[in-house]
Amino acid sequence: MASGEVPFVVCVSSDVAVRERVVRRLDDCGAVVLCADLSELRAMLFPAGVPAVTLPAGVPTNGPVRFGELVVDTTGHLVTWREKPLALTRLERELLARLASPPVGVWTYERLFDTVWGGAYLGDTSILHSAVKRLRRKLRAAPDGPSVETVRGVGYRLAAV
């Protein structure tokens, strides 16, 4: 570090004990920011309604996204396949909405992190792979439903069966 620079540590954890441990160990180092979740951190970094993420052109920000008989309504918190609801979490709905957004194609890891997680990509794709694994399992339960395909080393795309 250059002279005069002070480290800045951000700890995001829902576990109070973890946050307390971080403060005890790093309190002498410089500024320590503690947050219970990413939404709290975003509220600190992007106050007064400033959007944390700018979506690429062509990505709908509201209204349902349609992919054949799949309808993803993120604002209404509902996903349906052939008019039957699918039980997905908020994160799974957001991920599926991005994959189904026109023009449907390959979404890179970086682009998915930017639009679904608000730019939290740090080179580790394990959180994305886990979310896709859960989404795939739930989509398999839909008869003849769409599937999430891996484009090795690049990202994911949504495909009709």
Side-chain angles (χ1 to χ4, degrees):
M1 260 188 282
S3 176
E5 289 185 356
V6 178
F8 185 81
V9 178
V10 176
C11 171
V12 180
S13 175
S14 60
D15 187 345
V16 175
V18 168
R19 295 193 309 256
E20 288 173 351
R21 228 177 10 249
V22 167
V23 168
R24 280 195 305 275
R25 291 185 181 169
L26 300 177
D27 195 31
D28 301 353
C29 295
V32 178
V33 176
L34 303 172
C35 302
D37 56 33
L38 286 176
S39 63
E40 186 178 340
L41 179 61
R42 280 190 198 105
M44 277 194 266
L45 296 175
F46 306 102
V50 176
V53 177
T54 303
L55 295 177
V59 177
T61 56
N62 55 16
V65 176
R66 298 178 189 282
F67 181 80
E69 296 179 82
L70 177 74
V71 179
V72 183
D73 184 359
T74 55
T75 56
H77 308 288
L78 181 66
V79 176
T80 58
W81 171 249
R82 295 183 176 161
E83 299 181 6
K84 292 188 174 119
L86 296 175
L88 301 181
T89 65
R90 182 205 57 83
L91 182 69
E92 293 161 349
R93 279 191 308 272
E94 289 291 330
L95 182 57
L96 187 57
R98 296 303 165 251
L99 292 170
S101 295
V104 176
V106 177
W107 280 73
T108 64
Y109 301 131
E110 293 84 3
R111 202 165 149 218
L112 284 169
F113 271 102
D114 187 41
T115 59
V116 177
W117 281 271
Y121 180 70
L122 300 172
D124 180 13
T125 56
S126 61
I127 189 171
L128 175 58
H129 296 314
S130 295
V132 168
K133 182 179 177 180
R134 291 188 308 272
L135 179 59
R136 281 177 171 154
R137 184 174 0 112
K138 291 177 180 181
L139 288 176
R140 276 194 300 270
D144 301 320
S147 64
V148 178
E149 294 180 344
T150 300
V151 180
R152 198 173 296 282
V154 178
Y156 296 100
R157 73 172 148 236
L158 193 62
V161 175

